[in-house]
Amino acid sequence: MPSTMETHPKSLDGSEKSPESKDLITSNTASTLCISSRSESVWTNVPRSKWEIYHKPIVVVSVGGAIFLFGVVVTSLSCFIKTNKNVYKMCGPAFLSLGLMLLVCGFVWIPVIRKKQRQRQKSRFFQNIKSFFFNR
């Protein structure tokens, strides 16, 4: 009877181990998991510049502002140009809404990053206090 569940070894005493369990025991699973799950800057105390911290939301806000302004131009063209008026009326609001969405996402992202930075500083502070008292 085929089953999608994983088969378990028959002996529980550890004498017959599957190749997967031998790999797990001999490899540095915890260290590889930490390296792959977090960025390097979390584990090292290298100070990052403001640009390295905030460059993604700045790019999102800049692109959103550009798309929003393009939407304003396309929407205003529907008032002045009589040919292809329906195309301008359809595309203009689409660019306006896309640009506004990116602007809002970028502006909301900045306080989230600030809060995360404060939490990270607090955790480093408490980690240092804990290591000071318990590593004596």
Side-chain angles (χ1 to χ4, degrees):
M1 178 165 125
S3 173
T4 58
M5 294 185 65
E6 200 175 306
T7 58
H8 298 289
K10 291 180 182 176
S11 68
L12 295 176
D13 62 351
S15 60
E16 296 176 18
K17 292 185 179 177
S18 65
E20 294 87 8
S21 65
K22 287 179 185 175
D23 289 342
L24 287 176
I25 291 171
T26 58
S27 71
N28 296 332
T29 308
S31 62
T32 359
L33 179 65
C34 290
I35 290 171
S36 65
S37 67
R38 301 284 185 170
S39 64
E40 287 292 323
S41 61
V42 173
W43 298 103
T44 60
N45 287 332
V46 177
R48 295 176 11 179
S49 69
K50 295 284 186 187
W51 174 251
E52 288 176 347
I53 295 170
Y54 294 111
H55 76 278
K56 289 179 184 177
I58 290 172
V59 168
V60 169
V61 167
S62 302
V63 169
I67 292 173
F68 184 77
L69 288 176
F70 182 71
V72 169
V73 169
V74 170
T75 304
S76 63
L77 283 178
S78 69
C79 297
F80 299 117
I81 296 179
K82 302 300 178 197
T83 58
N84 296 330
K85 190 173 185 173
N86 289 336
V87 174
Y88 295 131
K89 280 189 174 183
M90 285 189 328
C91 293
F95 284 115
L96 279 170
S97 62
L98 181 66
L100 187 62
M101 181 185 67
L102 287 174
L103 274 170
V104 169
C105 287
F107 282 132
V108 167
W109 198 353
I110 292 172
V112 170
I113 290 175
R114 284 186 184 149
K115 185 176 181 181
K116 195 174 182 181
Q117 289 291 351
R118 276 191 232 117
Q119 286 177 346
R120 193 173 287 156
Q121 287 172 352
K122 285 179 186 176
S123 71
R124 283 183 190 147
F125 174 72
F126 289 125
Q127 194 71 22
N128 289 339
I129 289 175
K130 191 171 93 173
S131 66
F132 176 76
F133 286 113
F134 292 120
N135 290 338
R136 289 190 149 203

